[in-house]
Amino acid sequence: MRILSSLIDLIYPPRCLLCEEFLWNDPVIIQGERLHICRSCLSTFKRIDSPLCPSCGRPFPADTGPDHLCEDCLREPPAYDALAAPFLFEAPLMDAIHSLKYGGKAHFARTLGPLLAEFAFNWLDGSDVSIVMPVPLHRRRLRQRGFNQSLLLARYVANALNCELDFLSLVRVKSTPPQTGLGRKERLKNLRHAFELRKPKKVSDQLVVLIDDVATTGTTFNECAKVLKKAGAVEVLAVALARAVLS
Ligand SMILES: [Zn+2]
Ligand SMILES: [Zn+2]
């Protein structure tokens, strides 16, 4: 296999997904995967740093002191135990995620997946995770797109954590319009009763990690977590590749 892939590399040398530079030298290797991104493009992904809300992961402007709960989490603690993301949802990462989701470029997951997996592995730091679940798409959306981008990313996370990947139990039963451009309240209304668990017994007493490509208000994760907690999950942690910050 290695010889074959070296041959393919010779015929079709790998290029950076973003700037299309050839990746001859100095490859970025994460989680044992050679990423199709150059170091200079990778360095443009904006990392989320403290200070942030340890519950929903929302970053605060610099110089606002140490990590602290945000107003929303203080007022109404989310159903998930914590949410975190490595990067801000800004260009050029945003363009890469859009290409993955809407441009049919499923192979982008081979680069974005290991980045998410590495972050999840460090953030979860030895937690006893039993199941990794991608946020599901409604079957109509899945048919249109042909794949669930969250599942493509979740595969890498489950691999890194060496635990089960379950993409069948949690289902989206309500077809919701895209959440883009909606405020928190409208998102909530849109997603109410949108998710169901097919095998509720399975998550009882388990630590479940939910995976999505982008988190904005955390509403989607919250609705999924409600269903999991109701079925007896002891802990639900949510990880997204990127975090959009509503102004
Ligand atoms: Zn590049
Ligand atoms: Zn918060």
Side-chain angles (χ1 to χ4, degrees), residues 106-173:
H107 66 277
F108 274 40
R110 273 167 40 200
T111 291
L112 301 176
L115 288 171
L116 179 62
E118 186 189 52
F119 172 79
F121 184 82
N122 292 329
W123 183 60
L124 295 161
D125 189 24
S127 302
D128 204 6
V129 179
S130 11
I131 308 168
V132 168
M133 285 185 179
V135 167
L137 291 182
H138 187 267
R139 55 188 154 76
R140 197 173 308 154
R141 181 77 52 85
L142 187 62
R143 223 178 295 133
Q144 281 167 358
R145 195 171 293 167
F147 59 88
N148 175 0
Q149 72 284 352
S150 303
L151 169 58
L152 299 185
L153 299 172
R155 280 187 199 286
Y156 291 90
V157 179
N159 239 338
L161 300 174
N162 197 18
C163 68
E164 188 194 341
L165 173 68
D166 179 346
F167 54 92
L168 296 173
S169 299
L170 187 63
V171 286
R172 198 173 200 130
V173 287

Short mmCIF file of all heavy atoms in Angstrom, two decimals, residues 106-173:
data_model
loop_
_atom_site.label_atom_id
_atom_site.label_comp_id
_atom_site.label_asym_id
_atom_site.label_seq_id
_atom_site.Cartn_x
_atom_site.Cartn_y
_atom_site.Cartn_z
N ALA A 106 -15.52 15.71 -0.05
CA ALA A 106 -15.45 14.85 1.13
C ALA A 106 -14.00 14.56 1.52
O ALA A 106 -13.70 14.34 2.69
CB ALA A 106 -16.20 13.55 0.86
N HIS A 107 -13.08 14.58 0.53
CA HIS A 107 -11.68 14.26 0.85
C HIS A 107 -11.02 15.32 1.74
O HIS A 107 -9.97 15.07 2.31
CB HIS A 107 -10.87 14.06 -0.43
CG HIS A 107 -10.73 15.30 -1.26
ND1 HIS A 107 -11.71 15.71 -2.14
CD2 HIS A 107 -9.76 16.23 -1.33
CE1 HIS A 107 -11.33 16.84 -2.71
NE2 HIS A 107 -10.14 17.18 -2.25
N PHE A 108 -11.65 16.50 1.88
CA PHE A 108 -11.12 17.51 2.81
C PHE A 108 -11.10 16.97 4.24
O PHE A 108 -10.31 17.44 5.07
CB PHE A 108 -11.95 18.80 2.76
CG PHE A 108 -11.52 19.76 1.68
CD1 PHE A 108 -11.15 19.31 0.43
CD2 PHE A 108 -11.50 21.13 1.91
CE1 PHE A 108 -10.76 20.18 -0.57
CE2 PHE A 108 -11.10 22.02 0.92
CZ PHE A 108 -10.74 21.55 -0.32
N ALA A 109 -11.98 16.01 4.52
CA ALA A 109 -12.05 15.43 5.87
C ALA A 109 -10.74 14.73 6.24
O ALA A 109 -10.41 14.62 7.42
CB ALA A 109 -13.22 14.47 5.98
N ARG A 110 -9.99 14.29 5.22
CA ARG A 110 -8.72 13.60 5.52
C ARG A 110 -7.70 14.55 6.10
O ARG A 110 -6.70 14.14 6.69
CB ARG A 110 -8.18 12.95 4.24
CG ARG A 110 -8.76 11.56 4.04
CD ARG A 110 -8.51 11.01 2.67
NE ARG A 110 -7.19 11.30 2.14
CZ ARG A 110 -6.88 11.26 0.86
NH1 ARG A 110 -7.80 10.96 -0.03
NH2 ARG A 110 -5.66 11.51 0.45
N THR A 111 -7.90 15.84 5.89
CA THR A 111 -7.01 16.84 6.49
C THR A 111 -7.64 17.45 7.74
O THR A 111 -6.97 17.63 8.76
CB THR A 111 -6.68 17.92 5.43
OG1 THR A 111 -5.86 17.31 4.44
CG2 THR A 111 -5.96 19.11 6.04
N LEU A 112 -8.93 17.76 7.66
CA LEU A 112 -9.59 18.41 8.80
C LEU A 112 -9.85 17.43 9.94
O LEU A 112 -9.79 17.81 11.12
CB LEU A 112 -10.91 19.06 8.34
CG LEU A 112 -10.75 20.12 7.24
CD1 LEU A 112 -12.11 20.64 6.78
CD2 LEU A 112 -9.87 21.28 7.70
N GLY A 113 -10.11 16.16 9.61
CA GLY A 113 -10.40 15.14 10.63
C GLY A 113 -9.26 14.97 11.63
O GLY A 113 -9.49 15.04 12.85
N PRO A 114 -8.02 14.74 11.16
CA PRO A 114 -6.92 14.58 12.11
C PRO A 114 -6.68 15.81 12.99
O PRO A 114 -6.30 15.68 14.15
CB PRO A 114 -5.71 14.31 11.20
CG PRO A 114 -6.29 13.71 9.97
CD PRO A 114 -7.61 14.39 9.78
N LEU A 115 -6.94 17.00 12.44
CA LEU A 115 -6.77 18.22 13.25
C LEU A 115 -7.77 18.22 14.40
O LEU A 115 -7.44 18.57 15.54
CB LEU A 115 -7.00 19.47 12.39
CG LEU A 115 -5.91 19.79 11.36
CD1 LEU A 115 -6.36 20.90 10.43
CD2 LEU A 115 -4.61 20.20 12.07
N LEU A 116 -9.01 17.82 14.09
CA LEU A 116 -10.03 17.76 15.13
C LEU A 116 -9.72 16.64 16.13
O LEU A 116 -9.85 16.82 17.34
CB LEU A 116 -11.41 17.52 14.49
CG LEU A 116 -12.58 17.41 15.45
CD1 LEU A 116 -12.76 18.70 16.23
CD2 LEU A 116 -13.86 17.08 14.72
N ALA A 117 -9.26 15.51 15.60
CA ALA A 117 -8.97 14.36 16.45
C ALA A 117 -7.85 14.67 17.43
O ALA A 117 -7.92 14.31 18.61
CB ALA A 117 -8.59 13.15 15.59
N GLU A 118 -6.84 15.38 16.96
CA GLU A 118 -5.73 15.72 17.85
C GLU A 118 -6.19 16.62 18.98
O GLU A 118 -5.85 16.43 20.15
CB GLU A 118 -4.61 16.42 17.06
CG GLU A 118 -3.40 16.65 17.95
CD GLU A 118 -2.36 17.53 17.31
OE1 GLU A 118 -2.70 18.63 16.84
OE2 GLU A 118 -1.21 17.11 17.25
N PHE A 119 -7.04 17.61 18.61
CA PHE A 119 -7.56 18.51 19.64
C PHE A 119 -8.42 17.73 20.65
O PHE A 119 -8.26 17.89 21.86
CB PHE A 119 -8.40 19.62 18.98
CG PHE A 119 -9.13 20.46 19.99
CD1 PHE A 119 -8.46 21.45 20.70
CD2 PHE A 119 -10.47 20.24 20.26
CE1 PHE A 119 -9.12 22.21 21.65
CE2 PHE A 119 -11.15 20.99 21.21
CZ PHE A 119 -10.47 21.97 21.91
N ALA A 120 -9.33 16.90 20.14
CA ALA A 120 -10.25 16.14 21.02
C ALA A 120 -9.45 15.26 21.96
O ALA A 120 -9.74 15.17 23.16
CB ALA A 120 -11.21 15.31 20.18
N PHE A 121 -8.42 14.61 21.43
CA PHE A 121 -7.59 13.71 22.23
C PHE A 121 -6.95 14.46 23.40
O PHE A 121 -6.97 14.00 24.54
CB PHE A 121 -6.51 13.07 21.33
CG PHE A 121 -5.66 12.07 22.04
CD1 PHE A 121 -6.10 10.77 22.22
CD2 PHE A 121 -4.41 12.42 22.55
CE1 PHE A 121 -5.31 9.83 22.88
CE2 PHE A 121 -3.63 11.50 23.21
CZ PHE A 121 -4.08 10.20 23.38
N ASN A 122 -6.42 15.63 23.12
CA ASN A 122 -5.78 16.42 24.18
C ASN A 122 -6.80 17.00 25.16
O ASN A 122 -6.58 17.00 26.36
CB ASN A 122 -4.95 17.56 23.58
CG ASN A 122 -3.76 17.01 22.83
OD1 ASN A 122 -3.21 15.96 23.19
ND2 ASN A 122 -3.36 17.68 21.77
N TRP A 123 -7.90 17.49 24.62
CA TRP A 123 -8.92 18.12 25.48
C TRP A 123 -9.55 17.08 26.40
O TRP A 123 -9.81 17.36 27.57
CB TRP A 123 -9.99 18.81 24.60
CG TRP A 123 -11.03 19.53 25.39
CD1 TRP A 123 -10.84 20.57 26.25
CD2 TRP A 123 -12.44 19.27 25.39
NE1 TRP A 123 -12.05 20.97 26.77
CE2 TRP A 123 -13.05 20.20 26.26
CE3 TRP A 123 -13.26 18.35 24.71
CZ2 TRP A 123 -14.43 20.24 26.49
CZ3 TRP A 123 -14.63 18.39 24.93
CH2 TRP A 123 -15.20 19.33 25.82
N LEU A 124 -9.78 15.89 25.87
CA LEU A 124 -10.46 14.87 26.68
C LEU A 124 -9.48 14.18 27.62
O LEU A 124 -9.90 13.49 28.56
CB LEU A 124 -11.14 13.83 25.77
CG LEU A 124 -12.28 14.44 24.95
CD1 LEU A 124 -12.64 13.56 23.77
CD2 LEU A 124 -13.51 14.66 25.82
N ASP A 125 -8.21 14.34 27.37
CA ASP A 125 -7.11 13.92 28.22
C ASP A 125 -7.40 12.76 29.16
O ASP A 125 -7.60 12.95 30.37
CB ASP A 125 -6.64 15.15 29.04
CG ASP A 125 -5.35 14.84 29.78
OD1 ASP A 125 -4.62 13.93 29.33
OD2 ASP A 125 -5.08 15.49 30.81
N GLY A 126 -7.48 11.57 28.60
CA GLY A 126 -7.64 10.37 29.44
C GLY A 126 -9.04 10.13 29.95
O GLY A 126 -9.25 9.20 30.73
N SER A 127 -10.04 10.95 29.55
CA SER A 127 -11.42 10.70 29.97
C SER A 127 -11.86 9.34 29.45
O SER A 127 -11.42 8.90 28.38
CB SER A 127 -12.38 11.74 29.41
OG SER A 127 -12.02 13.02 29.79
N ASP A 128 -12.75 8.72 30.19
CA ASP A 128 -13.17 7.38 29.83
C ASP A 128 -14.33 7.43 28.83
O ASP A 128 -15.47 7.11 29.16
CB ASP A 128 -13.60 6.66 31.12
CG ASP A 128 -13.50 5.16 30.95
OD1 ASP A 128 -13.00 4.73 29.90
OD2 ASP A 128 -13.94 4.44 31.86
N VAL A 129 -14.02 7.85 27.62
CA VAL A 129 -15.07 8.00 26.60
C VAL A 129 -15.49 6.63 26.09
O VAL A 129 -14.65 5.79 25.79
CB VAL A 129 -14.55 8.84 25.40
CG1 VAL A 129 -15.62 8.97 24.34
CG2 VAL A 129 -14.06 10.20 25.87
N SER A 130 -16.81 6.37 26.04
CA SER A 130 -17.24 5.08 25.53
C SER A 130 -17.74 5.15 24.09
O SER A 130 -17.54 4.23 23.31
CB SER A 130 -18.33 4.47 26.42
OG SER A 130 -18.81 5.37 27.35
N ILE A 131 -18.41 6.26 23.74
CA ILE A 131 -19.00 6.33 22.40
C ILE A 131 -18.77 7.71 21.79
O ILE A 131 -18.91 8.73 22.46
CB ILE A 131 -20.53 6.09 22.45
CG1 ILE A 131 -20.88 4.81 23.22
CG2 ILE A 131 -21.14 6.03 21.06
CD1 ILE A 131 -22.35 4.66 23.55
N VAL A 132 -18.41 7.72 20.51
CA VAL A 132 -18.33 8.97 19.76
C VAL A 132 -19.51 8.99 18.79
O VAL A 132 -19.75 8.01 18.09
CB VAL A 132 -16.99 9.06 18.98
CG1 VAL A 132 -17.02 10.20 17.97
CG2 VAL A 132 -15.83 9.24 19.95
N MET A 133 -20.26 10.09 18.79
CA MET A 133 -21.42 10.21 17.90
C MET A 133 -21.35 11.50 17.10
O MET A 133 -21.22 12.57 17.69
CB MET A 133 -22.72 10.26 18.73
CG MET A 133 -23.15 8.95 19.31
SD MET A 133 -24.76 9.20 20.12
CE MET A 133 -25.04 7.51 20.69
N PRO A 134 -21.46 11.41 15.78
CA PRO A 134 -21.55 12.64 15.00
C PRO A 134 -22.95 13.23 15.11
O PRO A 134 -23.92 12.47 15.28
CB PRO A 134 -21.27 12.17 13.58
CG PRO A 134 -21.68 10.74 13.55
CD PRO A 134 -21.51 10.20 14.94
N VAL A 135 -23.09 14.54 15.05
CA VAL A 135 -24.41 15.14 14.98
C VAL A 135 -25.03 14.69 13.65
O VAL A 135 -24.42 14.87 12.59
CB VAL A 135 -24.32 16.68 15.05
CG1 VAL A 135 -25.64 17.33 14.68
CG2 VAL A 135 -23.89 17.11 16.45
N PRO A 136 -26.20 14.04 13.72
CA PRO A 136 -26.74 13.46 12.48
C PRO A 136 -27.40 14.50 11.57
O PRO A 136 -27.83 15.56 12.03
CB PRO A 136 -27.79 12.48 13.00
CG PRO A 136 -28.21 13.01 14.33
CD PRO A 136 -27.03 13.75 14.90
N LEU A 137 -27.47 14.16 10.30
CA LEU A 137 -28.22 14.96 9.33
C LEU A 137 -29.59 14.30 9.15
O LEU A 137 -29.71 13.08 9.34
CB LEU A 137 -27.54 14.95 7.96
CG LEU A 137 -26.21 15.67 7.77
CD1 LEU A 137 -25.78 15.54 6.31
CD2 LEU A 137 -26.34 17.14 8.13
N HIS A 138 -30.57 15.07 8.76
CA HIS A 138 -31.86 14.47 8.40
C HIS A 138 -31.65 13.67 7.12
O HIS A 138 -30.82 14.05 6.28
CB HIS A 138 -32.90 15.57 8.19
CG HIS A 138 -34.28 15.03 7.99
ND1 HIS A 138 -34.81 14.77 6.75
CD2 HIS A 138 -35.22 14.68 8.89
CE1 HIS A 138 -36.03 14.28 6.90
NE2 HIS A 138 -36.31 14.21 8.18
N ARG A 139 -32.40 12.56 6.97
CA ARG A 139 -32.13 11.69 5.81
C ARG A 139 -32.29 12.42 4.47
O ARG A 139 -31.62 12.10 3.49
CB ARG A 139 -32.96 10.41 5.85
CG ARG A 139 -34.43 10.60 5.97
CD ARG A 139 -35.13 9.26 6.21
NE ARG A 139 -36.38 9.44 6.91
CZ ARG A 139 -37.49 9.90 6.35
NH1 ARG A 139 -37.49 10.19 5.07
NH2 ARG A 139 -38.59 10.08 7.05
N ARG A 140 -33.16 13.44 4.44
CA ARG A 140 -33.35 14.18 3.19
C ARG A 140 -32.06 14.95 2.85
O ARG A 140 -31.59 14.94 1.72
CB ARG A 140 -34.51 15.16 3.36
CG ARG A 140 -35.05 15.66 2.03
CD ARG A 140 -36.30 16.49 2.24
NE ARG A 140 -37.30 15.80 3.05
CZ ARG A 140 -38.23 16.42 3.79
NH1 ARG A 140 -38.24 17.74 3.85
NH2 ARG A 140 -39.11 15.72 4.48
N ARG A 141 -31.47 15.59 3.87
CA ARG A 141 -30.23 16.35 3.67
C ARG A 141 -29.09 15.38 3.31
O ARG A 141 -28.26 15.68 2.46
CB ARG A 141 -29.92 17.13 4.94
CG ARG A 141 -28.70 17.99 4.93
CD ARG A 141 -28.83 19.30 4.18
NE ARG A 141 -29.99 20.10 4.56
CZ ARG A 141 -30.03 20.96 5.57
NH1 ARG A 141 -28.96 21.12 6.31
NH2 ARG A 141 -31.10 21.66 5.83
N LEU A 142 -29.09 14.24 3.96
CA LEU A 142 -28.05 13.24 3.71
C LEU A 142 -28.11 12.77 2.26
O LEU A 142 -27.09 12.61 1.60
CB LEU A 142 -28.23 12.05 4.67
CG LEU A 142 -27.15 11.00 4.66
CD1 LEU A 142 -25.80 11.56 5.08
CD2 LEU A 142 -27.52 9.84 5.60
N ARG A 143 -29.33 12.59 1.75
CA ARG A 143 -29.50 12.16 0.37
C ARG A 143 -28.99 13.23 -0.59
O ARG A 143 -28.32 12.93 -1.57
CB ARG A 143 -30.99 11.87 0.10
CG ARG A 143 -31.18 10.60 -0.70
CD ARG A 143 -32.65 10.29 -0.93
NE ARG A 143 -33.36 9.98 0.30
CZ ARG A 143 -34.55 10.52 0.63
NH1 ARG A 143 -35.14 11.41 -0.16
NH2 ARG A 143 -35.15 10.17 1.74
N GLN A 144 -29.28 14.50 -0.27
CA GLN A 144 -28.81 15.59 -1.13
C GLN A 144 -27.29 15.67 -1.16
O GLN A 144 -26.68 15.79 -2.20
CB GLN A 144 -29.29 16.95 -0.58
CG GLN A 144 -30.72 17.28 -0.88
CD GLN A 144 -31.20 18.46 -0.02
OE1 GLN A 144 -30.47 19.00 0.81
NE2 GLN A 144 -32.44 18.86 -0.24
N ARG A 145 -26.69 15.60 0.03
CA ARG A 145 -25.25 15.82 0.16
C ARG A 145 -24.45 14.57 -0.14
O ARG A 145 -23.32 14.65 -0.59
CB ARG A 145 -24.95 16.33 1.57
CG ARG A 145 -23.58 16.93 1.71
CD ARG A 145 -23.42 17.62 3.05
NE ARG A 145 -24.28 18.80 3.17
CZ ARG A 145 -24.51 19.43 4.31
NH1 ARG A 145 -23.97 19.01 5.43
NH2 ARG A 145 -25.28 20.49 4.33
N GLY A 146 -25.02 13.43 0.15
CA GLY A 146 -24.33 12.17 -0.11
C GLY A 146 -23.48 11.70 1.04
O GLY A 146 -23.01 10.57 1.05
N PHE A 147 -23.22 12.56 2.00
CA PHE A 147 -22.43 12.16 3.17
C PHE A 147 -22.71 13.14 4.31
O PHE A 147 -23.18 14.25 4.07
CB PHE A 147 -20.92 12.14 2.85
CG PHE A 147 -20.39 13.46 2.38
CD1 PHE A 147 -19.93 14.42 3.28
CD2 PHE A 147 -20.34 13.77 1.03
CE1 PHE A 147 -19.44 15.64 2.85
CE2 PHE A 147 -19.86 15.01 0.58
CZ PHE A 147 -19.41 15.94 1.51
N ASN A 148 -22.43 12.69 5.51
CA ASN A 148 -22.53 13.58 6.67
C ASN A 148 -21.11 14.01 7.04
O ASN A 148 -20.30 13.20 7.49
CB ASN A 148 -23.21 12.83 7.83
CG ASN A 148 -23.25 13.67 9.11
OD1 ASN A 148 -22.77 14.81 9.13
ND2 ASN A 148 -23.80 13.10 10.17
N GLN A 149 -20.82 15.28 6.87
CA GLN A 149 -19.46 15.77 7.12
C GLN A 149 -19.03 15.53 8.57
O GLN A 149 -17.86 15.31 8.84
CB GLN A 149 -19.32 17.25 6.75
CG GLN A 149 -20.00 18.25 7.67
CD GLN A 149 -21.51 18.29 7.49
OE1 GLN A 149 -22.06 17.69 6.57
NE2 GLN A 149 -22.19 19.00 8.38
N SER A 150 -19.99 15.56 9.49
CA SER A 150 -19.65 15.33 10.90
C SER A 150 -19.21 13.89 11.13
O SER A 150 -18.34 13.63 11.96
CB SER A 150 -20.84 15.66 11.80
OG SER A 150 -21.22 16.98 11.57
N LEU A 151 -19.82 12.98 10.39
CA LEU A 151 -19.41 11.57 10.50
C LEU A 151 -18.01 11.39 9.95
O LEU A 151 -17.18 10.69 10.54
CB LEU A 151 -20.41 10.67 9.76
CG LEU A 151 -19.99 9.21 9.55
CD1 LEU A 151 -19.70 8.51 10.87
CD2 LEU A 151 -21.07 8.43 8.79
N LEU A 152 -17.71 12.06 8.83
CA LEU A 152 -16.36 11.94 8.25
C LEU A 152 -15.31 12.41 9.25
O LEU A 152 -14.25 11.81 9.37
CB LEU A 152 -16.25 12.77 6.96
CG LEU A 152 -17.20 12.40 5.81
CD1 LEU A 152 -16.88 13.23 4.58
CD2 LEU A 152 -17.07 10.91 5.47
N LEU A 153 -15.63 13.48 9.99
CA LEU A 153 -14.69 13.99 10.99
C LEU A 153 -14.65 13.10 12.23
O LEU A 153 -13.59 12.84 12.80
CB LEU A 153 -15.08 15.42 11.41
CG LEU A 153 -15.08 16.48 10.31
CD1 LEU A 153 -15.66 17.79 10.83
CD2 LEU A 153 -13.67 16.71 9.76
N ALA A 154 -15.84 12.61 12.63
CA ALA A 154 -15.95 11.80 13.86
C ALA A 154 -15.15 10.50 13.77
O ALA A 154 -14.67 9.99 14.78
CB ALA A 154 -17.41 11.50 14.15
N ARG A 155 -15.01 9.97 12.54
CA ARG A 155 -14.22 8.74 12.36
C ARG A 155 -12.80 8.91 12.92
O ARG A 155 -12.26 8.01 13.55
CB ARG A 155 -14.07 8.41 10.87
CG ARG A 155 -15.27 7.74 10.28
CD ARG A 155 -14.96 7.31 8.84
NE ARG A 155 -16.19 7.06 8.11
CZ ARG A 155 -16.95 5.99 8.30
NH1 ARG A 155 -16.60 5.07 9.15
NH2 ARG A 155 -18.07 5.85 7.63
N TYR A 156 -12.22 10.06 12.66
CA TYR A 156 -10.85 10.31 13.11
C TYR A 156 -10.79 10.44 14.63
O TYR A 156 -9.83 10.03 15.26
CB TYR A 156 -10.27 11.56 12.44
CG TYR A 156 -10.03 11.35 10.96
CD1 TYR A 156 -11.01 11.63 10.03
CD2 TYR A 156 -8.82 10.81 10.52
CE1 TYR A 156 -10.80 11.40 8.67
CE2 TYR A 156 -8.59 10.59 9.18
CZ TYR A 156 -9.59 10.88 8.26
OH TYR A 156 -9.37 10.64 6.93
N VAL A 157 -11.85 11.04 15.19
CA VAL A 157 -11.88 11.23 16.64
C VAL A 157 -12.02 9.87 17.33
O VAL A 157 -11.28 9.57 18.29
CB VAL A 157 -13.03 12.18 17.06
CG1 VAL A 157 -13.07 12.35 18.55
CG2 VAL A 157 -12.87 13.54 16.37
N ALA A 158 -12.93 9.04 16.84
CA ALA A 158 -13.14 7.72 17.44
C ALA A 158 -11.86 6.89 17.36
O ALA A 158 -11.50 6.18 18.30
CB ALA A 158 -14.29 7.00 16.75
N ASN A 159 -11.17 7.02 16.24
CA ASN A 159 -9.90 6.31 16.05
C ASN A 159 -8.86 6.76 17.06
O ASN A 159 -8.20 5.93 17.68
CB ASN A 159 -9.36 6.65 14.66
CG ASN A 159 -9.19 5.41 13.84
OD1 ASN A 159 -9.07 4.31 14.41
ND2 ASN A 159 -9.19 5.57 12.54
N ALA A 160 -8.74 8.07 17.23
CA ALA A 160 -7.74 8.63 18.15
C ALA A 160 -8.06 8.23 19.58
O ALA A 160 -7.16 8.00 20.39
CB ALA A 160 -7.69 10.15 18.01
N LEU A 161 -9.35 8.17 19.92
CA LEU A 161 -9.74 7.83 21.30
C LEU A 161 -9.86 6.33 21.49
O LEU A 161 -10.10 5.85 22.59
CB LEU A 161 -11.08 8.48 21.65
CG LEU A 161 -11.15 10.01 21.59
CD1 LEU A 161 -12.58 10.48 21.81
CD2 LEU A 161 -10.22 10.63 22.62
N ASN A 162 -9.76 5.61 20.38
CA ASN A 162 -9.86 4.15 20.40
C ASN A 162 -11.18 3.70 21.04
O ASN A 162 -11.21 2.88 21.94
CB ASN A 162 -8.66 3.58 21.16
CG ASN A 162 -8.48 2.11 20.87
OD1 ASN A 162 -9.02 1.61 19.88
ND2 ASN A 162 -7.74 1.42 21.73
N CYS A 163 -12.27 4.32 20.59
CA CYS A 163 -13.57 3.91 21.12
C CYS A 163 -14.60 3.80 20.00
O CYS A 163 -14.30 4.08 18.84
CB CYS A 163 -14.03 4.86 22.21
SG CYS A 163 -14.41 6.47 21.59
N GLU A 164 -15.78 3.35 20.37
CA GLU A 164 -16.80 3.06 19.36
C GLU A 164 -17.32 4.31 18.66
O GLU A 164 -17.53 5.34 19.29
CB GLU A 164 -17.98 2.34 20.06
CG GLU A 164 -19.00 1.83 19.07
CD GLU A 164 -20.32 1.43 19.73
OE1 GLU A 164 -20.35 1.20 20.96
OE2 GLU A 164 -21.31 1.35 18.99
N LEU A 165 -17.53 4.18 17.36
CA LEU A 165 -18.16 5.24 16.59
C LEU A 165 -19.59 4.80 16.31
O LEU A 165 -19.80 3.77 15.67
CB LEU A 165 -17.40 5.45 15.28
CG LEU A 165 -18.01 6.42 14.27
CD1 LEU A 165 -17.95 7.85 14.80
CD2 LEU A 165 -17.29 6.33 12.94
N ASP A 166 -20.55 5.55 16.82
CA ASP A 166 -21.95 5.17 16.63
C ASP A 166 -22.65 6.29 15.85
O ASP A 166 -22.88 7.37 16.38
CB ASP A 166 -22.62 4.97 18.00
CG ASP A 166 -24.10 4.61 17.87
OD1 ASP A 166 -24.66 4.78 16.76
OD2 ASP A 166 -24.69 4.18 18.87
N PHE A 167 -22.96 5.99 14.58
CA PHE A 167 -23.60 7.03 13.76
C PHE A 167 -25.01 6.64 13.38
O PHE A 167 -25.59 7.19 12.45
CB PHE A 167 -22.75 7.33 12.52
CG PHE A 167 -22.41 6.12 11.70
CD1 PHE A 167 -23.23 5.74 10.65
CD2 PHE A 167 -21.28 5.37 11.99
CE1 PHE A 167 -22.91 4.62 9.88
CE2 PHE A 167 -20.95 4.26 11.23
CZ PHE A 167 -21.78 3.87 10.17
N LEU A 168 -25.56 5.65 14.09
CA LEU A 168 -26.90 5.18 13.75
C LEU A 168 -27.92 5.44 14.85
O LEU A 168 -29.11 5.62 14.57
CB LEU A 168 -26.86 3.67 13.42
CG LEU A 168 -26.05 3.29 12.18
CD1 LEU A 168 -25.94 1.78 12.06
CD2 LEU A 168 -26.66 3.88 10.91
N SER A 169 -27.47 5.43 16.11
CA SER A 169 -28.44 5.52 17.21
C SER A 169 -29.12 6.88 17.29
O SER A 169 -30.32 6.97 17.51
CB SER A 169 -27.75 5.22 18.54
OG SER A 169 -27.22 3.92 18.52
N LEU A 170 -28.32 7.93 17.14
CA LEU A 170 -28.89 9.28 17.24
C LEU A 170 -29.36 9.69 15.85
O LEU A 170 -28.58 9.66 14.90
CB LEU A 170 -27.82 10.24 17.75
CG LEU A 170 -28.24 11.67 18.07
CD1 LEU A 170 -29.25 11.70 19.22
CD2 LEU A 170 -27.03 12.52 18.45
N VAL A 171 -30.64 10.05 15.75
CA VAL A 171 -31.17 10.42 14.42
C VAL A 171 -31.86 11.77 14.47
O VAL A 171 -32.40 12.18 15.49
CB VAL A 171 -32.16 9.37 13.86
CG1 VAL A 171 -31.45 8.13 13.38
CG2 VAL A 171 -33.22 9.03 14.88
N ARG A 172 -31.81 12.43 13.33
CA ARG A 172 -32.48 13.72 13.20
C ARG A 172 -33.83 13.43 12.55
O ARG A 172 -33.89 12.97 11.42
CB ARG A 172 -31.64 14.62 12.30
CG ARG A 172 -31.96 16.07 12.41
CD ARG A 172 -30.93 16.85 11.59
NE ARG A 172 -30.89 18.22 11.99
CZ ARG A 172 -29.77 18.86 12.28
NH1 ARG A 172 -28.62 18.24 12.26
NH2 ARG A 172 -29.81 20.12 12.60
N VAL A 173 -34.89 13.65 13.32
CA VAL A 173 -36.21 13.26 12.81
C VAL A 173 -36.94 14.45 12.19
O VAL A 173 -37.95 14.29 11.53
CB VAL A 173 -37.08 12.65 13.93
CG1 VAL A 173 -36.58 11.26 14.28
CG2 VAL A 173 -37.12 13.54 15.17
#
